[in-house]
Amino acid sequence: MEQPYTPQPFSAQEVTPAMASAFLNKVYLWMAACLMTTAGVAAYTTVNPEPAFWTIEHPWLSFLGCIGIVLVMQFGARAFTPMALGGLLLAFAGLQGLIFGPLLYVFTQESLGLTFAVTAGMFGAMSVYGYVSKRDLSTWGRGLFMALIGLIIAGIANAFWGNGTADLIMSAVGVVVFALFTAYDTQMLLRQGLYEADEVTRSKGAVLGALQLYLDFINLFLYLLRFLGNRD
C-alpha cells in the first residue's frame, strides 16, 4: 500500500536543519497519532470483537475501504483543509486497527510487543539514516517501486500456491524493502519540507508524509511478525 513518487535528485547538504525539523515534527506527530489510533481501536476489539470479526468476514470491503481512503487523500488533497485531510488519515488508521484487532487473538502479547519494539528500532534507525545521509536516495525510488510490485504479485501467487518457504523469502525481502522505503521517504520529506514555502501546503504535506511513513511502519511490522510472532 506504499504510495511511491518520483522526486527530482537533490543534495542532502542543501537541507536547512531548522526547516526540515519543523516539517518532520509535524509528520511524526501525525504518524504518532495514527499509531495510537490503530493501537486503541485494536485494543477496543478485545472488549467488543464484533467490528473486527466483520472485517474478517468482509476482507475485500475492508481492503477497498483502505484503498479508497488512500486514493481520496492522494488525489483529492487540494480539495480538503489540512484538518479534514488529517481526519481522513485517522479514519484510515482506525480501519487499520479493526484489521489488526484479530492479531491480538492469534499472537501472544509478548511476541507482539517484541515485534513492535524491533519494528520501532529498525524504523527509527532507517529514518535517522535518511535524515543525516549525504547520499542522494532519490535514485532508490524506481528500484523500490519495482520491488514492491514484485512483492504484491508474489504474494497474490503464493496465496494460491501456499508455499511456506516462499512466504519466508518474501517476508525477508519485505523487511528489507520497507526498511529502505523508510530511509527513502524520510529524505524525500526533508526535500519537501525545505522547498515548500506555503504553510497550508506544508500542513497538507505533513499529513500525506505521515501516511507514507505510517505505511512503511505498518508493513515493516507485518513482515517482521512472520518471523517473531508466536501464536497463542
Side-chain angles (χ1 to χ4, degrees):
M1 296 178 66
E2 179 69 33
Q3 300 298 311
Y5 55 96
T6 307
Q8 297 298 318
F10 77 106
S11 171
Q13 294 178 337
E14 297 172 0
V15 173
T16 303
M19 294 182 67
S21 295
F23 181 73
L24 280 182
N25 283 343
K26 290 184 179 181
V27 172
Y28 286 123
L29 283 174
W30 276 112
M31 181 186 166
C34 286
L35 291 175
M36 288 188 291
T37 299
T38 299
V41 172
Y44 171 74
T45 63
T46 63
V47 179
N48 183 16
E50 284 79 9
F53 290 152
W54 186 90
T55 63
I56 296 175
E57 294 170 357
H58 305 85
W60 282 106
L61 289 178
S62 303
F63 175 76
L64 290 175
C66 291
I67 293 294
I69 294 175
V70 170
L71 291 177
V72 168
M73 290 181 66
Q74 290 287 340
F75 295 104
R78 292 183 180 180
F80 295 102
T81 65
M83 290 308 297
L85 201 61
L88 286 173
L89 177 63
L90 294 180
F92 175 77
L95 183 54
Q96 290 293 307
L98 291 180
I99 296 172
F100 273 64
L103 295 179
L104 299 177
Y105 296 93
V106 176
F107 296 96
T108 64
Q109 293 185 2
E110 291 78 9
S111 66
L112 288 171
L114 174 63
T115 305
F116 182 86
V118 173
T119 302
M122 289 186 64
F123 179 91
M126 294 306 295
S127 191
V128 169
Y129 174 75
Y131 185 94
V132 303
S133 177
K134 294 180 172 59
R135 181 178 181 180
D136 179 9
L137 305 185
S138 65
T139 57
W140 293 6
R142 180 169 297 183
L144 288 174
F145 179 66
M146 294 304 296
L148 177 61
I149 295 299
L151 275 174
I152 294 173
I153 294 174
I156 294 173
N158 201 50
F160 297 97
W161 186 19
N163 185 285
T165 301
D167 185 68
L168 288 177
I169 293 173
M170 286 188 296
S171 297
V173 173
V175 169
V176 174
V177 167
F178 284 101
L180 295 177
F181 255 127
T182 299
Y184 169 81
D185 285 337
T186 298
Q187 194 178 90
M188 296 307 99
L189 288 168
L190 280 172
R191 175 188 178 221
Q192 182 178 346
L194 175 65
Y195 293 112
E196 183 54 65
D198 180 71
E199 188 58 33
V200 173
T201 304
R202 286 171 65 88
S203 296
K204 292 181 181 182
V207 175
L208 295 175
L211 174 63
Q212 290 176 318
L213 292 183
Y214 171 79
L215 290 173
D216 292 338
F217 189 99
I218 290 299
N219 281 286
L220 186 58
F221 175 85
L222 289 174
Y223 280 115
L224 284 170
L225 187 62
R226 300 183 187 185
F227 293 104
L228 303 176
N230 291 325
R231 294 183 180 272
D232 195 347

